[in-house]
Structures are given as C-alpha cells and as structure tokens.
Amino acid sequence: MGQWEIFLSPYKQAVDELKVKLKGMRSQFGIVNANSPIEFVTGRVKPLASIYDKTLEKGLAFEPSKLLGDELGDIAGLRIMCQFVDDIATVTELIRQRKDMRVVEERDYITHNKPSGYRSYHMIVEYPVETIQGKKVVLAEIQIRTLAMNFWASIEHSLNYKYKGMFPEEIKNRLQSAAEAAFRLDEEMSSIRSEIQEAQAYFSEYKEASNPNLLSEKERDSQ
C-alpha cells in the first residue's frame, strides 16, 4: 500500500461513515412522518490531482503529512442537498448539535455569496475514525445547498476547468445572472413550500396506494 493510500484511508473511512450518519438523519424524519430538510447526501475524497493544485495554491509540499491534513480541510468532502433555502439553517443546527463531530469552522456563502454568484453553506468538522492503529481525528468539509445552487455550482465547476478560471466577460456575466435567477427560484419555491410539500405527500400516498408491491421511500431508506 502506497503512502498516499495509507494517508487517505482515514478520510475515505470518514466519508463512508458520515454518509451513513447524514442519510440516517434524513430517515429519522421519515420515521416520525416529518418533512426532511435533507433531500440527499453525496461524498467523496479529494482526488490527488486536486490535492496537488491546492498545495501549489497554499505553498505546501505535495506529500502526505499532518500539516497537509491540517491545512486542507476538504480532503474528505460531503454534500447535503436541500429542497428549500430555509432547510439549510435546520441542517446546520442539527450538525452543530451532534456529539460525534465538532464544528471548527463555518462559511456562509448564501448570505454572503461569492462574486462569481456561488452560494452554499460550508462547515468544517473534526471527525474521529477508529483505525487498527487507534483513533485518528480528521477534518471533513460539509457543504449544504439547495438543488438549484448545486446545479449552478456543477456548471460553474465544469466551465472553470475549461477556462482555467479565466472566464470570458460574457460568460462571467451570464453565470452571475444565472446564479441570481437560481436564487430567486429558491426564494419563490420557499414561499409556497407548504403547498409543494402537501402535493408531494399526496403524490407519495397515491403512488403507494396504486402500487402496493412497490417499496415506499421510507422502506427503501431504511435498507
């Protein structure tokens, strides 16, 4: 096993465990018949190429080390998607209250969006993993955003690779406009969330009643 594989192993374990725990939070809302603020959860360990880019940006040696782990808080990354903007505050508070991780940094890019238009809420947490060598505490970044914010961020990320961060002025302006349009959509959906959730509940009940052999969403999540 190479040095990098050994170094990244606890981060992979952290991502796997945190995905299960965060998805578990979603399932718990279903158990009590409450609307979950969590739509779905994804996670990944930062690829070596991206770690290398970050070391260049921060002036760090590209080698497995405690310093690297301390300086890069997003080697382990989780993303929580929410339907509504208001759900983001609910999710952040749930994470703050947990005893199995400790929040060490928060960045609110929703209230204070980046100049590019990027919106998301970032939390850096300390999370302990149990390894055969003993307990190791690693940093993990949890990004919380709406589906609309995530769509915009995914497009911007792809374009950023194409243009190496040097966007043509027209593309930059259109991205900023699209970000504002996505946020207006989020705000509009939040204003009618009760009607949306009632419709979703009705649709789920109708679907289960007309398809008794299909597993309900609650049953699928519990498996």
Side-chain angles (χ1 to χ4, degrees), residues 1 11 71 77 80 86 88 100 105 116 137 148 150 164 175 183 187 196 201 214-215 217 223:
M1 183 180 288
Y11 293 95
E71 289 293 322
I80 299 175
D86 295 345
I88 294 172
D100 53 350
E105 185 179 340
S116 64
V137 178
N150 189 62
K164 309 298 182 186
L175 273 174
F183 192 62
E187 290 181 319
I196 293 171
L214 293 178
L215 285 173
E217 184 175 340
Q223 291 186 335

Side-chain angles (χ1 to χ4, degrees), residues 65-192:
S65 67
K66 183 180 185 305
L67 176 63
L68 184 67
D70 291 341
E71 289 293 322
L72 301 188
D74 62 346
I75 294 176
L78 286 299
R79 191 169 293 157
I80 299 175
M81 250 60 74
C82 305
Q83 275 196 323
F84 304 102
V85 176
D86 295 345
D87 290 335
I88 294 172
T90 302
V91 173
T92 58
E93 189 55 35
L94 287 170
I95 291 172
R96 292 187 195 112
Q97 293 172 2
R98 293 190 70 100
K99 305 301 183 186
D100 53 350
M101 63 188 78
R102 186 174 77 89
V103 178
V104 295
E105 185 179 340
E106 299 186 40
R107 299 179 203 154
D108 183 357
Y109 295 123
I110 297 174
T111 305
H112 308 288
N113 60 287
K114 291 185 177 182
S116 64
Y118 175 85
R119 284 184 169 89
S120 187
Y121 199 96
H122 293 193
M123 306 180 84
I124 305 292
V125 301
E126 287 181 343
Y127 181 74
V129 294
E130 294 294 337
T131 74
I132 57 174
Q133 287 83 30
K135 183 171 75 172
K136 180 173 177 58
V137 178
V138 300
L139 295 177
E141 181 183 67
I142 302 175
Q143 298 179 355
I144 309 151
R145 58 178 65 155
T146 64
L147 298 169
M149 291 174 193
N150 189 62
F151 172 70
W152 183 93
S154 298
I155 298 301
E156 194 267 350
H157 184 71
S158 298
L159 288 171
N160 193 50
Y161 267 96
K162 177 180 178 180
Y163 292 109
K164 309 298 182 186
M166 303 297 291
F167 292 112
E169 196 64 25
E170 181 189 0
I171 296 293
K172 184 168 73 172
N173 292 337
R174 294 179 76 171
L175 273 174
Q176 290 170 338
S177 297
E180 291 306 312
F183 192 62
R184 288 196 299 272
L185 174 64
D186 275 334
E187 290 181 319
E188 189 66 27
M189 292 300 101
S190 290
S191 71
I192 56 170

